[in-house]
Amino acid sequence: MAKSRFEYVRNYELPDPLMPGTFIVVRIDGRGFHKFSDTHLFEKPNDKRALDLMDQAARTVLDEYKDVIMAFGESDEYSFLLKKNTKLYNRRRSKISSSIVSLFTSAYVFHWLTYFPDNPLRYPPSFDSRVVVYPGEKEIRDYFAWRQADTHINNLYNTAFWALVKDGQSTTEANKTLQGTDSKDKNELLFSKYGINYNNLPEQYRKGSICVRRPATLVDDRQPQQQIEESITAGVSNVSIDDPAVGSVEDDSVSQTRINGVIRKEKKIKKAKPYEGIDGEIVVLHEDIIRDGFWKERPWFLQ
Amino acid sequence: MAKSRFEYVRNYELPDPLMPGTFIVVRIDGRGFHKFSDTHLFEKPNDKRALDLMDQAARTVLDEYKDVIMAFGESDEYSFLLKKNTKLYNRRRSKISSSIVSLFTSAYVFHWLTYFPDNPLRYPPSFDSRVVVYPGEKEIRDYFAWRQADTHINNLYNTAFWALVKDGQSTTEANKTLQGTDSKDKNELLFSKYGINYNNLPEQYRKGSICVRRPATLVDDRQPQQQIEESITAGVSNVSIDDPAVGSVEDDSVSQTRINGVIRKEKKIKKAKPYEGIDGEIVVLHEDIIRDGFWKERPWFLQ
Amino acid sequence: MAKSRFEYVRNYELPDPLMPGTFIVVRIDGRGFHKFSDTHLFEKPNDKRALDLMDQAARTVLDEYKDVIMAFGESDEYSFLLKKNTKLYNRRRSKISSSIVSLFTSAYVFHWLTYFPDNPLRYPPSFDSRVVVYPGEKEIRDYFAWRQADTHINNLYNTAFWALVKDGQSTTEANKTLQGTDSKDKNELLFSKYGINYNNLPEQYRKGSICVRRPATLVDDRQPQQQIEESITAGVSNVSIDDPAVGSVEDDSVSQTRINGVIRKEKKIKKAKPYEGIDGEIVVLHEDIIRDGFWKERPWFLQ
Amino acid sequence: MAKSRFEYVRNYELPDPLMPGTFIVVRIDGRGFHKFSDTHLFEKPNDKRALDLMDQAARTVLDEYKDVIMAFGESDEYSFLLKKNTKLYNRRRSKISSSIVSLFTSAYVFHWLTYFPDNPLRYPPSFDSRVVVYPGEKEIRDYFAWRQADTHINNLYNTAFWALVKDGQSTTEANKTLQGTDSKDKNELLFSKYGINYNNLPEQYRKGSICVRRPATLVDDRQPQQQIEESITAGVSNVSIDDPAVGSVEDDSVSQTRINGVIRKEKKIKKAKPYEGIDGEIVVLHEDIIRDGFWKERPWFLQ
């Protein structure tokens, strides 16, 4: 098409490639979510509906971007890890960062009513995002350990804080009560005064949410039905399978979708490289990612 | 709160400040909107509902970010201009870029049903964004001229293209028919064959949409009702006042909202610096921004 | 030639273009020049030989890089201004910054003996450099005003400081004596106690050095000899023509070189655009660049 | 000191920190060295004096910057590797890059006469520099392998090329003769036609120069004299000990300097961490750095 004499302004768009051979993390954060959670009457210290909605938005990102190999979320933030040698958008910083935060936001608003059916959205929420690049396996593990440690620290504090507030303290008083306390003090307070055993609280609150693809080969050599039953009865103690959004997205019930999914994909899976897990279904876990176990089960993440 | 031994990973978050004293443009672009517009049965070559929804999302951005002084949109893209000396987020590139694209996306999904009441959203759409920095007035004017010239070129082409297609040509044939034609040829084709006088098509299609704040002082020294009437009968030939979203946002009809708006803001307006126009209501125009007129009326934009 | 399997490491060399249409300043700074000036017994507060050597190194840069339109130096630093639309090295930040600091350093060492014939270099000195980009005329003028104001402030302080030290105070005492004094106090001290009228000190010390090309057209319509004579007798009160290095570089005496220069270049000059001054000889001035005069005489600098 | 109203221009100096925990390589390259080597009558295909001078300039850099752990040079280029966790200049890109290229250039000019006593420098040469950041050990090894492979490829070509030219071919003819030949062809040509066994040419030409510090502990538990003798008789077949510059720098003969060096530093060495080798003397090697040996002997380089 014809070029205008104004085209030169394109030269001001400078390149912003990220270093090759490094791990890209995109972290999104809610903007003004203190007010947003008040306006929408989120339960304190944790609103399971809100956390599940965050998880659903993260799943949407993993579903769209095959190079996002895992995500970790807590509260109003989520971190996405891209595979080391991703060529997504030629590793352009802005493109990667903006596309992910936009899709996450879009999915959050799109799925709102599924998670808050009686609580319509009052105004459009938003998130910011940043890209952080890490050179190696150690730094990536420490990054996610940092976020999960943060989840624990914040949740323990918030659990104690809201227990005090619900017990009649003002927020100022509750903050003051907790000032200078360590983890043991807070656990003790919760247990002795409110009968709360912190370690029995839901793992989703204490450990955050991890979005990953189930390795495709796990479903390969067993009967689909057997696998589903196992998932439901045993292995899924900390997998969110009671996900109200799945129906609306895939027009089908969870287990049927999964059976069909397995059947539909079976041939394709056999050709896929077994360790990549790209075709596997996306699951949300709530488990420890600070220790080695999680990473040893997924050696391809950090290769 | 306690610090974990993983905190060092924060050092990998490097600063990304934009040069001071320059104009920041954030341009957002629809991702995969060819498919999105097909799936959602957008009318061709222009779907007024879709354009109005884009305009509404842009208004939301201007409403939230006082330092965004204007925006220009066409098709599935929108460009936002920040005032030269903005301190928004300390001019951090990622923060500015991501917050704007996230809010735009959120508003697009949030307001969807207002513009497509019979056409529910099938999946969450997304946009990318980039920041471009311009040193001076000339480059900014040329940037917006570039986008508006692009609007014209694309719209003329698409209008001719879809006339041919609706007339029975395949898309391949239509492209071929138009190959090598200039503006005059396309105008001639539209007029002689289809009786379409291109210059009579809606300005929104030919010139795109400009989101600006009406200078606060314009509403100051007249009676609110008089102003509204004038707006409706005269000056607003190219202002979108038939905006279906306004009601749902402000719980009131358009003219009443404006009357109330004027009344509510009157005292505040008198204190505002008359040339800043920050407190003025946001309007969407469809006029020429290539020539001097638009900019001469708003000398504070480029100062 | 054959490519090795290691070639991929080149992909880690990321682009670093500077924004188009802006002013690029490269500022170089001596590293460890406190020690360097002590080791090489520089006179205090100003060593004319050292300043002339800095000026000579800057001339070498202007001589090599036609897009460097001016330079300003004081003490052990020098700032180089590139013309707004320079395409030098495709505006690559590292390439521009490193090439200039390297050539400057090289010329400094190369010409050392010309300025310090009895004082051989004891070890190789070095400089660092940085690039700063400015969007417009105002910022560039303020940048150079900032450096020249700094020259004045530092020189007045150092002049007073060394007067006190030479008078018997320790450096600690001298610093203490000057603590809290303003310009007027220092002028007064110098005059009343040491009979020094600060304003009569050499302009090179008080105003720094400005390296520019004499506009080529100035020599065009007059007889070469006439021009030289005028230069020597009148206009050059603050031009360094007693430059001991010129001879060694061009194998000729100053005035003859210049006469020859004019004669040799006469035809070429007539074709050159009169306002560019690219072909003009490089001169070192010591005059005010804070006020308008300097810039008004050279309108092409900031266009 | 007083601040001027122009100080705001400092805000245009934006931060440029390099990612933590990565390997920084600074590569410097001669500017216009084709012409420079012609003007200064460098011998072809290799001028040992010129290469030794390059090595000497690199030694100066290692001597000044303890965080530069090795350097590799060939022809008119040199690459410097900084240790992974260097805090040099807070990892500011420009500061690191410019300081190193400036010191290298300065040392090159400073030492010129030592290497070219009968061939004074005609004009100041210069180099550019760039910073490249690598995430891990593999990439660093491949980087240096890439440069050393390049040395080999270029030197084989140049050796054949200059043999042909000295034999009477024009440069154009020589280029044509070599077009399409592989390594084996060139080796064969050199041997059959000119009796040159390429593998017997000096390692400095075929493998380039590696500047490293001799690990401090290697000299610790042996008698200094014994170590020197071993160096001279055995291990140092490819160490440049006939370095004419050393005397002028260290005011002593090579072996004595080394003996003294060992003696002088002995106590200090015992306290130094044995693996760091920071206090060790700087040596120039000409050996293979593509294979594992070099790196296995220096495990601290890539940690």
Side-chain angles (χ1 to χ4, degrees):
Chain A
M1 290 197 190
K3 298 269 176 188
S4 74
R5 69 189 158 88
F6 308 117
E7 286 276 330
Y8 80 92
V9 296
R10 295 199 68 173
N11 297 331
Y12 286 79
E13 296 181 16
L14 304 179
D16 64 349
L18 295 165
M19 194 195 298
T22 49
F23 293 101
I24 300 171
V25 171
V26 178
R27 184 169 75 246
I28 64 107
D29 246 302
R31 288 186 53 252
F33 260 58
H34 193 83
K35 178 190 154 205
F36 183 80
S37 62
D38 284 349
T39 303
H40 293 85
L41 307 170
F42 282 11
E43 287 163 23
K44 305 290 182 178
N46 290 287
D47 187 308
K48 182 163 169 48
R49 301 163 301 172
L51 293 175
D52 287 346
L53 174 56
M54 290 290 288
D55 294 347
Q56 177 57 35
R59 293 164 78 110
T60 306
V61 171
L62 264 82
D63 199 46
E64 176 83 11
Y65 292 101
K66 301 309 178 198
D67 282 8
V68 174
I69 53 180
M70 74 171 277
F72 174 80
E74 59 158 322
S75 182
D76 61 346
E77 75 162 55
Y78 237 103
S79 297
F80 298 90
L81 173 64
L82 279 80
K83 71 174 187 183
K84 193 172 179 180
N85 288 310
T86 182
K87 301 260 185 275
L88 181 64
Y89 301 136
N90 289 321
R91 299 178 76 89
R92 285 153 57 201
R93 176 187 289 267
S94 280
K95 186 90 173 174
I96 291 172
S97 174
S98 61
S99 299
I100 286 180
V101 75
S102 176
L103 182 57
F104 186 94
T105 308
S106 191
Y108 191 92
V109 178
F110 182 81
H111 291 298
W112 175 271
L113 274 181
T114 307
Y115 293 85
F116 290 92
D118 307 320
N119 194 355
L121 201 51
R122 305 279 287 274
Y123 62 86
S126 66
F127 298 82
D128 63 43
S129 69
R130 77 193 67 201
V131 167
V132 196
V133 177
Y134 290 102
E137 178 179 330
K138 178 189 183 318
E139 291 85 5
I140 281 297
R141 287 215 28 199
D142 286 349
Y143 174 81
F144 284 103
W146 175 53
R147 298 324 301 144
Q148 194 168 55
D150 186 73
T151 307
H152 167 68
I153 291 164
N154 288 338
N155 190 58
L156 178 55
Y157 188 93
N158 291 336
T159 303
F161 176 85
W162 286 102
L164 292 167
V165 170
K166 288 171 184 174
D167 193 30
Q169 291 198 3
S170 70
T171 54
T172 312
E173 286 166 347
N175 272 320
K176 207 176 159 189
T177 302
L178 294 174
Q179 212 173 344
T181 59
D182 63 11
S183 291
K184 212 176 129 226
D185 299 332
K186 294 191 196 76
N187 272 300
E188 180 63 22
L189 170 80
L190 284 169
F191 190 70
S192 63
K193 200 157 172 195
Y194 303 108
I196 296 172
N197 184 334
Y198 181 76
N199 288 324
N200 290 344
L201 295 180
E203 289 193 294
Q204 184 176 20
Y205 304 165
R206 291 183 293 117
K207 296 187 177 163
S209 295
I210 304 129
C211 247
V212 288
R213 284 180 198 82
R214 193 190 290 281
T217 47
L218 287 189
V219 299
D220 229 359
D221 45 8
R222 292 172 299 161
Q223 296 302 315
Q225 189 54 40
Q226 178 197 346
Q227 183 221 358
I228 296 300
E229 279 162 10
E230 275 178 24
S231 290
I232 291 171
T233 55
V236 212
S237 65
N238 51 14
V239 176
S240 297
I241 58 165
D242 56 340
D243 186 336
V246 175
S248 70
V249 179
E250 309 204 15
D251 294 321
D252 214 340
S253 82
V254 178
S255 53
Q256 282 177 323
T257 301
R258 284 176 178 167
I259 291 171
N260 290 339
V262 168
I263 290 168
R264 268 202 313 275
K265 290 177 178 172
E266 213 167 2
K267 283 202 170 168
K268 197 172 163 200
I269 285 165
K270 289 200 168 163
K271 289 177 207 154
K273 290 188 187 172
Y275 51 87
E276 282 189 344
I278 284 175
D279 289 319
E281 76 182 311
I282 298 162
V283 289
V284 178
L285 314 173
H286 312 293
E287 63 179 55
D288 189 303
I289 56 173
I290 298 180
R291 271 171 265 171
D292 291 346
F294 174 84
W295 303 96
K296 283 204 169 145
E297 285 171 29
R298 296 166 181 84
W300 60 90
F301 271 21
L302 300 180
Q303 269 160 1
Chain B
M1 289 196 192
K3 299 270 177 188
S4 74
R5 69 189 158 89
F6 308 118
E7 286 275 331
Y8 80 92
V9 297
R10 294 199 67 171
N11 297 331
Y12 286 79
E13 296 182 16
L14 303 180
D16 65 346
L18 295 165
M19 194 193 300
T22 50
F23 292 101
I24 300 171
V25 171
V26 177
R27 184 169 75 246
I28 65 107
D29 246 303
R31 288 187 53 252
F33 260 58
H34 194 83
K35 179 190 155 206
F36 183 79
S37 64
D38 283 349
T39 303
H40 293 87
L41 308 170
F42 282 10
E43 288 163 23
K44 304 290 183 176
N46 289 287
D47 188 307
K48 181 163 169 48
R49 300 163 302 174
L51 294 175
D52 287 345
L53 174 56
M54 289 290 289
D55 294 347
Q56 178 58 33
R59 294 163 77 110
T60 307
V61 171
L62 265 81
D63 199 46
E64 176 82 12
Y65 292 101
K66 300 310 178 199
D67 281 8
V68 174
I69 53 179
M70 73 172 276
F72 175 80
E74 58 159 322
S75 184
D76 62 345
E77 76 163 55
Y78 238 104
S79 298
F80 298 91
L81 173 63
L82 280 79
K83 69 175 188 182
K84 192 172 179 179
N85 287 310
T86 182
K87 301 260 185 275
L88 181 64
Y89 301 136
N90 289 321
R91 300 178 75 91
R92 285 153 56 201
R93 176 187 290 267
S94 281
K95 185 90 174 176
I96 291 171
S97 174
S98 61
S99 299
I100 286 179
V101 76
S102 175
L103 182 57
F104 186 94
T105 308
S106 191
Y108 190 93
V109 178
F110 182 82
H111 290 297
W112 175 269
L113 275 181
T114 307
Y115 294 86
F116 290 93
D118 307 320
N119 195 354
L121 201 50
R122 305 281 286 275
Y123 62 85
S126 66
F127 298 82
D128 63 41
S129 69
R130 78 194 66 201
V131 167
V132 196
V133 177
Y134 290 101
E137 178 180 332
K138 178 190 183 318
E139 292 85 6
I140 281 297
R141 287 217 28 201
D142 286 349
Y143 175 81
F144 285 103
W146 174 52
R147 299 323 301 146
Q148 194 168 57
D150 186 73
T151 306
H152 167 69
I153 292 164
N154 289 338
N155 189 59
L156 178 56
Y157 188 93
N158 290 336
T159 304
F161 177 85
W162 286 102
L164 292 166
V165 170
K166 287 172 183 173
D167 194 29
Q169 292 199 2
S170 72
T171 54
T172 313
E173 287 166 345
N175 272 321
K176 207 175 159 190
T177 303
L178 294 175
Q179 212 172 344
T181 59
D182 62 11
S183 291
K184 213 179 128 221
D185 300 333
K186 294 190 196 77
N187 272 300
E188 179 64 22
L189 170 80
L190 285 169
F191 190 71
S192 63
K193 201 159 171 193
Y194 303 107
I196 296 171
N197 184 334
Y198 182 75
N199 287 323
N200 290 343
L201 294 179
E203 290 193 292
Q204 184 176 19
Y205 304 166
R206 292 183 291 118
K207 296 186 176 163
S209 295
I210 304 130
C211 248
V212 288
R213 283 180 198 82
R214 192 191 291 281
T217 47
L218 286 189
V219 299
D220 229 0
D221 45 9
R222 290 173 301 160
Q223 293 303 316
Q225 189 54 41
Q226 178 196 349
Q227 183 221 358
I228 296 301
E229 279 161 13
E230 277 178 24
S231 291
I232 292 170
T233 55
V236 212
S237 64
N238 51 16
V239 177
S240 298
I241 57 165
D242 55 339
D243 186 338
V246 175
S248 71
V249 178
E250 308 205 15
D251 293 321
D252 214 338
S253 80
V254 178
S255 51
Q256 282 178 322
T257 301
R258 284 178 177 166
I259 291 171
N260 290 341
V262 170
I263 289 168
R264 270 203 312 275
K265 290 178 179 172
E266 212 166 3
K267 284 202 170 166
K268 198 173 163 198
I269 286 166
K270 289 199 170 165
K271 288 178 209 153
K273 288 186 190 174
Y275 53 86
E276 284 188 342
I278 285 175
D279 289 317
E281 78 184 308
I282 298 163
V283 290
V284 178
L285 314 173
H286 313 293
E287 64 180 54
D288 189 303
I289 56 173
I290 298 179
R291 271 171 266 171
D292 292 345
F294 174 83
W295 303 96
K296 284 202 170 149
E297 285 172 28
R298 295 165 182 83
W300 60 90
F301 270 22
L302 300 180
Q303 268 160 0
Chain C
M1 291 197 188
K3 298 270 175 186
S4 75
R5 68 187 159 89
F6 308 118
E7 287 275 330
Y8 80 92
V9 297
R10 294 199 67 173
N11 298 330
Y12 286 79
E13 296 182 14
L14 304 180
D16 65 347
L18 296 165
M19 193 194 301
T22 49
F23 293 100
I24 300 171
V25 171
V26 178
R27 184 169 75 245
I28 65 107
D29 246 304
R31 287 188 53 252
F33 261 58
H34 193 84
K35 177 190 156 206
F36 183 80
S37 63
D38 283 349
T39 303
H40 294 86
L41 306 170
F42 282 11
E43 287 163 21
K44 304 290 183 179
N46 290 286
D47 188 306
K48 182 163 169 48
R49 302 162 301 174
L51 293 175
D52 287 346
L53 174 55
M54 290 289 289
D55 294 347
Q56 178 57 34
R59 293 163 78 109
T60 307
V61 171
L62 265 81
D63 200 46
E64 176 82 10
Y65 293 101
K66 300 311 179 198
D67 281 8
V68 174
I69 53 179
M70 74 172 276
F72 174 81
E74 59 159 321
S75 182
D76 61 346
E77 76 162 53
Y78 237 104
S79 298
F80 298 91
L81 173 64
L82 280 80
K83 70 175 186 184
K84 192 172 179 179
N85 288 308
T86 183
K87 300 262 186 271
L88 181 64
Y89 301 136
N90 289 321
R91 301 179 74 91
R92 286 153 55 201
R93 176 187 289 267
S94 281
K95 186 91 174 175
I96 291 171
S97 174
S98 61
S99 300
I100 286 179
V101 77
S102 175
L103 182 57
F104 186 94
T105 308
S106 192
Y108 191 93
V109 178
F110 181 83
H111 290 297
W112 175 270
L113 275 181
T114 308
Y115 293 86
F116 290 93
D118 308 320
N119 194 354
L121 201 51
R122 306 279 287 274
Y123 62 86
S126 65
F127 298 83
D128 64 42
S129 69
R130 79 194 65 201
V131 167
V132 196
V133 177
Y134 290 101
E137 179 179 331
K138 178 191 183 318
E139 291 85 7
I140 280 298
R141 287 218 27 204
D142 287 348
Y143 175 82
F144 285 103
W146 174 52
R147 298 324 303 144
Q148 193 167 55
D150 186 73
T151 306
H152 167 68
I153 292 165
N154 289 338
N155 190 59
L156 178 56
Y157 187 94
N158 291 336
T159 303
F161 176 86
W162 286 101
L164 292 167
V165 169
K166 288 172 183 173
D167 193 30
Q169 292 198 3
S170 72
T171 54
T172 313
E173 287 166 345
N175 272 320
K176 207 173 158 192
T177 303
L178 293 175
Q179 210 172 344
T181 60
D182 62 12
S183 290
K184 212 179 130 224
D185 300 332
K186 295 191 195 77
N187 271 300
E188 179 63 22
L189 170 81
L190 285 169
F191 189 72
S192 62
K193 199 157 172 194
Y194 304 107
I196 297 171
N197 184 335
Y198 181 76
N199 289 322
N200 290 345
L201 294 180
E203 289 193 293
Q204 185 175 19
Y205 304 166
R206 292 183 292 116
K207 296 187 177 164
S209 295
I210 305 130
C211 248
V212 288
R213 285 181 197 83
R214 195 189 289 280
T217 47
L218 286 189
V219 300
D220 228 1
D221 43 8
R222 292 172 300 160
Q223 294 301 318
Q225 190 54 40
Q226 176 196 350
Q227 183 222 358
I228 295 302
E229 280 162 11
E230 277 179 21
S231 289
I232 291 170
T233 55
V236 212
S237 63
N238 50 14
V239 176
S240 298
I241 58 168
D242 56 340
D243 184 339
V246 175
S248 70
V249 180
E250 309 204 16
D251 293 319
D252 213 339
S253 80
V254 178
S255 53
Q256 282 177 323
T257 301
R258 286 180 176 163
I259 292 171
N260 290 340
V262 169
I263 288 167
R264 270 203 312 274
K265 289 178 180 172
E266 211 167 4
K267 283 202 172 167
K268 198 172 162 199
I269 286 165
K270 288 198 170 165
K271 287 178 209 153
K273 289 187 189 173
Y275 52 86
E276 282 189 341
I278 284 175
D279 289 317
E281 76 182 311
I282 298 163
V283 291
V284 178
L285 314 173
H286 312 294
E287 62 180 56
D288 188 305
I289 56 172
I290 298 179
R291 272 172 263 170
D292 291 345
F294 175 83
W295 303 96
K296 284 203 170 149
E297 285 172 27
R298 296 164 180 85
W300 59 90
F301 270 23
L302 300 181
Q303 268 159 2
Chain D
M1 289 195 191
K3 298 268 175 188
S4 74
R5 69 189 159 88
F6 308 117
E7 286 275 331
Y8 81 93
V9 297
R10 296 200 67 171
N11 297 331
Y12 286 79
E13 297 182 13
L14 303 180
D16 64 348
L18 295 165
M19 195 194 301
T22 50
F23 293 101
I24 300 171
V25 171
V26 178
R27 184 167 78 246
I28 66 107
D29 246 302
R31 288 187 55 252
F33 260 58
H34 194 85
K35 179 191 154 204
F36 183 80
S37 62
D38 283 351
T39 303
H40 294 86
L41 307 169
F42 283 11
E43 288 163 22
K44 305 289 183 176
N46 289 287
D47 187 307
K48 183 165 168 48
R49 301 163 300 173
L51 293 174
D52 287 345
L53 174 55
M54 288 291 288
D55 294 347
Q56 177 57 34
R59 293 163 77 108
T60 307
V61 171
L62 264 82
D63 200 46
E64 175 84 11
Y65 292 100
K66 301 310 179 199
D67 280 6
V68 174
I69 54 179
M70 75 171 276
F72 175 81
E74 60 159 321
S75 183
D76 62 345
E77 76 163 54
Y78 237 103
S79 297
F80 299 90
L81 173 63
L82 280 80
K83 70 174 187 183
K84 194 173 178 179
N85 287 310
T86 182
K87 300 259 185 275
L88 180 64
Y89 302 135
N90 289 321
R91 300 179 75 90
R92 284 153 57 199
R93 176 186 290 266
S94 281
K95 185 92 174 174
I96 291 172
S97 175
S98 61
S99 299
I100 287 179
V101 76
S102 175
L103 182 58
F104 186 94
T105 307
S106 191
Y108 191 93
V109 179
F110 182 83
H111 291 297
W112 175 270
L113 274 181
T114 308
Y115 294 86
F116 290 94
D118 307 319
N119 194 354
L121 200 51
R122 305 281 285 275
Y123 62 87
S126 65
F127 298 82
D128 64 41
S129 68
R130 79 194 66 201
V131 167
V132 197
V133 177
Y134 289 102
E137 177 179 332
K138 178 190 183 319
E139 292 85 6
I140 280 298
R141 287 217 27 202
D142 287 349
Y143 175 81
F144 285 103
W146 174 53
R147 298 324 302 145
Q148 195 167 56
D150 186 74
T151 307
H152 167 69
I153 291 165
N154 289 338
N155 189 59
L156 178 56
Y157 188 94
N158 290 337
T159 304
F161 176 85
W162 286 102
L164 293 167
V165 169
K166 288 171 182 172
D167 193 29
Q169 291 198 4
S170 72
T171 54
T172 312
E173 287 166 346
N175 272 321
K176 209 174 155 189
T177 302
L178 294 174
Q179 211 172 344
T181 60
D182 62 13
S183 290
K184 213 179 128 223
D185 300 332
K186 296 190 195 79
N187 272 301
E188 180 62 22
L189 170 80
L190 284 170
F191 190 70
S192 63
K193 200 157 173 193
Y194 304 107
I196 297 171
N197 184 335
Y198 181 77
N199 288 324
N200 291 344
L201 294 180
E203 289 193 293
Q204 185 176 21
Y205 304 166
R206 293 184 292 117
K207 296 187 176 161
S209 295
I210 304 129
C211 247
V212 287
R213 285 180 197 82
R214 193 189 289 282
T217 47
L218 285 188
V219 299
D220 229 1
D221 45 9
R222 292 173 300 162
Q223 294 301 317
Q225 189 55 39
Q226 176 195 347
Q227 182 221 359
I228 296 301
E229 280 161 10
E230 276 179 24
S231 289
I232 291 169
T233 54
V236 212
S237 66
N238 51 14
V239 176
S240 298
I241 58 166
D242 56 339
D243 186 337
V246 174
S248 70
V249 179
E250 309 205 14
D251 294 320
D252 214 339
S253 81
V254 178
S255 51
Q256 282 177 321
T257 301
R258 285 178 178 166
I259 291 170
N260 289 340
V262 168
I263 289 167
R264 267 204 313 276
K265 290 178 180 172
E266 212 166 3
K267 283 203 170 166
K268 198 173 163 198
I269 285 165
K270 290 201 168 163
K271 288 177 208 155
K273 289 186 188 172
Y275 52 86
E276 282 189 342
I278 284 175
D279 289 319
E281 76 182 311
I282 298 161
V283 291
V284 178
L285 314 173
H286 311 294
E287 63 179 55
D288 188 304
I289 56 172
I290 298 178
R291 271 172 265 171
D292 291 345
F294 174 84
W295 303 96
K296 284 204 169 147
E297 285 171 27
R298 296 163 181 85
W300 61 89
F301 270 22
L302 300 180
Q303 270 159 1

